[in-house]
Amino acid sequence: MPAESPLTRHRIDACFLGPYGENDGLLEKLVVEFLRDHVYWRRNFHPEDPPAISTEASRHPDYLAFESRMRRELHQLSAALKRSVPFHSPRYMGHMVSDLLLPGLVAQILTLPYNPNNVSEDSAPVTVDMEVQVGLQLAQMVGYPHDPLQPDCAFGHLTSGGTLANYQALRLALALKAFPVALRAAGVPDLVLPEDDWAAFNLHPGAGTQLLDQWQRWLAGQSSTLRNQWRRRVQEARIEHLGLVEFFARHPTLRVPLVLAPVTAHYSWSKGLKLLGLGRAQMHLLPENGMRLDVDALETILERCQRERQPVLLSVAVLGTTEYGTFDPVDRMLEARERASAAGLGHSVHVDAAWGGYLATVFRNEDGSLRSRAEIARGYNAFPNEEVYSAIAALADTDSITIDPHKLGYLPFGTGAFVCRDHRVTALLSEEADYVFTGAASKSYLERYRGLGQFIPEGSKSGANAAAVFVTHRVLPLNHLHFGRLTRQTILAAEAFHQRATRFAADNQDCVAALVPFQPDSNLVCLALNPRGNGRIAAANAFVRGLHDDMRADPRHPLQLKQFFGSMTTLRAEALGEVEMRRICDALGLDSATLDGEEGNDRIVILRHTLMNPYLIDHENGISYIDLYFEYLQERVRQRLGTIRPGDSSASV
Ligand SMILES: *Cc1c(COP(=O)(O)O)cnc(C)c1O
């Protein structure tokens, strides 16, 4: 196994507070230093303004009473928070979260007392630009154009999380899809418009963007009176103005478009369709094959849609599924889109990389260019497989992407991100008239986005979050030499975990069948288990649920009673395909005929491990928490089954 040299390891030693709070001195120094700095800033604003709170105030009974109430509540809060889930610990392998990066944590704490509101530059003169810069940093990471002087530069912004970023993707794709229909309805002269509503509604997003661009230029060439008139006419024909009901009533040859997503898609997609009023029924879930979206099934549905004149809004690729960390074939999905578009069924391709987005750091050189697969592979056992490499390489050609800095970016919650490849389309989101081309008065890229609230789904929002992400990406640029070192650790940990799991399976085959059900694409590793002699799915599921109960947060019991934290997911035939499902059942000794709809036993319950913590392998003390975990799991398995390991007299039943 490729080992980490001490030199490499030490480069990440200052990154986190650390499992033991090793870097407490550093964090404390920085927080106090910048708190003082903030106080001086207040005092230097108008030094002639005297202190409004008297120096004696702190002795007044009211002051003291308030202080003691505040202290009491804060102590209670602090005491209660001790029941929190120990995300920082290498014993935590549960959900998609780990320790926080110090640059982000400090930047966030530092910014909080300034309380910037990133809704616009009026309330966030500093952090709005940082948010837009974060969009460019992420754009570069995925290979989108990221030079704001380029007319088709990407644009990205932060959201409360991946859920809202996915919602923004739906909103933007719908706006772009329906806009050419509005141009036709308004009867705009001089532009070459599609010949009918169907063609207008089903343009390739690139062609839709071109048309929007031409419209903006045409508008800029009109007198201000005409400009306002035409703007209003088009505005009043848009889907955002009319609503779905009226829009489709006026265009009877069109139907509400479908969203095509893999069965493994996150439930935020269902929420988004409901929220947008498109309806959950418009979500068409595609089967997977070997844990990846089945492109043949995608092609089949696209052909059917074309035949039945059923428009498609988006096809969604998941890069790092929430359940298994697997990657959909973005490259082949783009090819399918090009074929469908050429046949008159244009639609956007969005990548839900809420989890896997930051893995792209491992694939990028400092200058932003893509590393070769061979070069990357030298550092790992099996990563990156060909599918993973092709999927990452293809990101540059997608239309938009969701990435969660609060997951694999090791940043505080409240930070998802949405990035679209060509920023010109955001004109369609703007609440107010957004003139991109108005001669000398035209705004620069950064100026345009200083009114961020015009474009985002939220209104008021934290500028501190934006500062945290921006500073982190400056300290650790998003390439393999910097941020990529962290992501690399997660993949190495996953490879070590996979190997150790194989040993666990061999060591315990007398009492349990254990299996990593498929080669992990990244840093989530699942483990399927079935007690020897059992053939029934229901019994195997109950067994694994029992193991998981030992490893989940339980507010009724002290944290310290837990040895490890893990999570759970399920294997379903729709995600695996029948062949794979049978292979796994056979390997586990399960009778696939016992898969039935009763009480969720139409699927196999498995353990799921998120390997994000950078200290899973503690080189300093020669401890592998991965080894400790498997020793613990062995003990739990044997205790539950009432078996002692052959030749092991110390194990108790
Ligand atoms: C986590 C996740 C989401 C939702 O993101 P939130 O930040 O929880 O809102 C969406 N898609 C995928 C693939 C995810 O992993």
Side-chain angles (χ1 to χ4, degrees):
M1 202 198 111
E4 281 298 85
S5 77
L7 188 72
T8 326
R9 275 195 273 125
H10 292 152
R11 287 202 203 170
I12 67 160
D13 277 348
C15 286
F16 298 95
L17 177 55
Y20 183 78
E22 294 88 336
N23 287 322
D24 60 336
L26 176 59
L27 175 59
E28 196 176 304
K29 212 165 67 190
L30 292 170
V31 169
V32 172
E33 179 180 331
F34 291 112
L35 176 64
R36 294 219 174 99
D37 211 32
H38 173 79
V39 172
Y40 300 145
W41 175 72
R42 289 192 175 201
R43 290 178 186 175
N44 289 328
F45 174 52
H46 272 282
E48 71 276 19
D49 296 348
I53 302 168
S54 94
T55 49
E56 281 167 14
S58 63
R59 270 174 269 144
H60 193 278
D62 289 352
Y63 186 107
L64 294 170
F66 182 86
E67 184 185 340
S68 61
R69 280 169 68 96
M70 178 164 69
R71 276 188 183 280
R72 206 179 87 100
E73 291 304 323
L74 289 173
H75 278 296
Q76 291 202 345
L77 170 67
S78 183
L81 286 172
K82 302 299 181 292
R83 294 202 308 270
S84 298
V85 183
F87 297 142
H88 64 277
S89 167
R91 290 174 182 267
Y92 184 84
M93 305 175 196
H95 295 287
M96 299 164 146
V97 52
S98 181
D99 206 351
L100 294 171
L101 275 167
L102 279 184
L105 180 60
V106 176
Q108 181 129 350
I109 296 174
L110 190 169
T111 311
L112 275 177
Y114 296 89
N115 197 28
N117 177 356
N118 268 22
V119 72
S120 81
E121 65 174 335
D122 286 355
S123 46
V126 180
T127 50
V128 162
D129 278 0
M130 289 183 174
E131 180 160 343
V132 178
Q133 293 289 352
V134 165
L136 296 171
Q137 291 166 332
L138 292 172
Q140 180 172 23
M141 177 177 82
V142 300
Y144 287 170
H146 56 274
D147 175 2
L149 294 175
Q150 233 177 302
D152 61 347
C153 180
F155 165 70
H157 62 83
L158 298 175
T159 55
S160 64
T163 299
L164 230 67
N166 286 345
Y167 173 46
Q168 182 77 328
L170 287 169
R171 200 163 80 107
L172 185 57
L174 184 63
L176 182 60
K177 190 168 191 59
F179 186 69
V181 180
L183 285 181
R184 286 192 75 250
V188 178
D190 304 333
L191 295 186
V192 183
L193 297 173
E195 78 257 17
D196 58 18
D197 275 355
W198 172 262
F201 200 53
N202 292 290
L203 287 181
H204 186 288
T209 309
Q210 288 301 330
L211 199 54
L212 170 63
D213 195 58
Q214 285 161 13
W215 152 249
Q216 294 253 13
R217 287 174 194 278
W218 180 82
L219 210 53
Q222 306 303 309
S223 70
S224 70
T225 319
L226 276 179
R227 182 154 64 225
N228 284 335
Q229 263 173 25
W230 278 110
R231 237 203 96 250
R232 192 165 345 103
R233 273 181 79 160
V234 171
Q235 204 60 24
E236 285 170 1
R238 288 185 56 191
I239 199 166
E240 288 80 3
H241 179 83
L242 297 172
L244 296 186
V245 173
E246 181 60 21
F247 180 84
F248 287 105
R250 288 190 187 186
H251 304 285
T253 59
L254 304 180
R255 283 154 73 182
V256 184
L258 296 185
V259 171
L260 310 177
V263 286
T264 46
H266 188 266
Y267 68 129
S268 50
W269 289 102
S270 156
K271 286 187 190 174
L273 281 164
K274 293 184 202 165
L275 196 55
L276 221 62
L278 292 170
R280 177 66 178 69
Q282 268 44 258
M283 179 135 172
H284 186 93
L285 293 178
L286 291 163
E288 302 234 324
N289 207 338
M291 312 312 295
R292 299 176 208 292
L293 181 134
D294 181 342
V295 181
D296 291 340
L298 173 64
E299 300 264 19
T300 307
I301 179 80
L302 287 174
E303 279 159 25
R304 200 175 88 205
C305 284
Q306 195 194 323
R307 248 189 349 263
E308 297 174 359
R309 291 176 81 82
Q310 166 61 60
V312 173
L313 178 60
L314 272 184
S315 69
V316 178
V318 185
L319 201 81
T321 54
T322 319
E323 293 168 279
Y324 320 114
T326 45
F327 283 34
D328 284 332
V330 181
D331 48 324
R332 297 180 54 218
M333 291 173 70
L334 281 167
E335 286 164 18
R337 187 270 295 274
E338 292 309 312
R339 268 193 294 278
S341 295
L345 194 76
H347 58 274
S348 299
V349 174
H350 177 81
V351 183
D352 184 355
W355 171 245
Y358 276 88
L359 284 167
T361 54
V362 173
F363 293 73
R364 294 268 164 213
N365 289 310
E366 263 183 305
D367 65 1
S369 59
L370 201 64
R371 302 170 74 204
S372 74
R373 180 167 161 238
E375 186 193 342
I376 301 168
R378 275 200 284 279
Y380 306 92
N381 276 339
F383 181 86
N385 66 36
E386 222 166 294
E387 286 91 346
V388 166
Y389 185 83
S390 307
I392 297 257
L395 291 179
D397 296 321
T398 60
D399 299 301
S400 55
I401 188 163
T402 291
I403 301 169
D404 265 0
H406 67 200
K407 284 183 177 166
L408 212 42
Y410 298 88
L411 285 159
F413 281 117
T415 40
F418 171 79
V419 190
C420 59
R421 197 192 54 224
D422 186 331
H423 88 105
R424 291 172 297 180
V425 292
T426 61
L428 294 172
L429 293 175
S430 179
E431 279 295 309
E432 279 169 17
D434 182 50
Y435 301 118
V436 185
F437 306 102
T438 35
S442 78
K443 289 179 180 172
S444 77
Y445 180 94
L446 278 180
E447 278 171 318
R448 178 169 183 226
Y449 291 114
R450 280 182 191 143
L452 202 56
Q454 291 292 320
F455 304 95
I456 60 176
E458 290 119 320
S460 296
K461 61 183 207 141
S462 159
N465 280 105
V469 189
F470 176 74
V471 167
T472 301
H473 292 174
R474 296 281 293 184
V475 177
L476 289 168
L478 302 174
N479 57 63
H480 81 106
L481 290 172
H482 298 93
F483 200 103
R485 288 185 189 281
L486 281 176
T487 12
R488 171 178 161 74
Q489 296 289 334
T490 72
I491 297 159
L492 289 176
E495 292 196 334
F497 190 96
H498 190 178
Q499 279 189 344
R500 186 62 183 78
T502 310
R503 208 175 100 207
F504 168 89
D507 288 352
N508 295 284
Q509 48 181 317
D510 59 301
C511 68
V512 72
L515 175 76
V516 173
F518 46 87
Q519 178 78 31
D521 276 351
S522 57
N523 42 22
L524 289 191
V525 188
C526 295
L527 188 66
L529 296 146
N530 180 38
R532 281 282 168 221
N534 172 56
R536 288 177 45 244
I537 302 278
N541 286 353
F543 176 72
V544 174
R545 283 203 184 91
L547 289 173
H548 175 246
D549 280 341
D550 297 334
M551 293 190 265
R552 65 199 282 183
D554 176 356
R556 291 164 306 172
H557 296 118
L559 207 57
Q560 290 77 4
L561 291 180
K562 296 281 169 191
Q563 290 298 317
F564 283 91
F565 284 83
S567 55
M568 198 180 84
T569 186
T570 57
L571 293 174
R572 288 158 290 154
E574 313 97 87
L576 286 157
E578 299 294 339
V579 176
E580 281 286 279
M581 193 72 177
R582 216 166 317 118
R583 171 183 68 81
I584 291 168
C585 281
D586 288 349
L588 291 171
L590 286 170
D591 177 1
S592 53
T594 63
L595 279 168
D596 63 45
E598 294 287 300
E599 295 175 28
N601 289 321
D602 57 339
R603 49 193 67 187
I604 305 175
V605 176
I606 57 174
L607 297 178
R608 165 186 174 269
H609 310 86
T610 306
L611 301 160
M612 257 184 95
N613 192 288
Y615 296 96
L616 282 165
I617 301 169
D618 167 4
H619 296 275
E620 177 68 18
N621 303 294
I623 297 173
S624 161
Y625 287 90
I626 294 170
D627 280 339
L628 290 182
Y629 171 72
F630 279 102
E631 284 160 27
Y632 166 76
L633 188 64
Q634 173 168 305
E635 184 204 305
R636 296 311 308 151
V637 164
R638 289 182 177 273
Q639 200 158 61
R640 285 194 171 268
L641 296 176
T643 53
I644 299 176
R645 198 172 163 217
D648 184 355
S649 55
S650 65
S652 58
V653 179

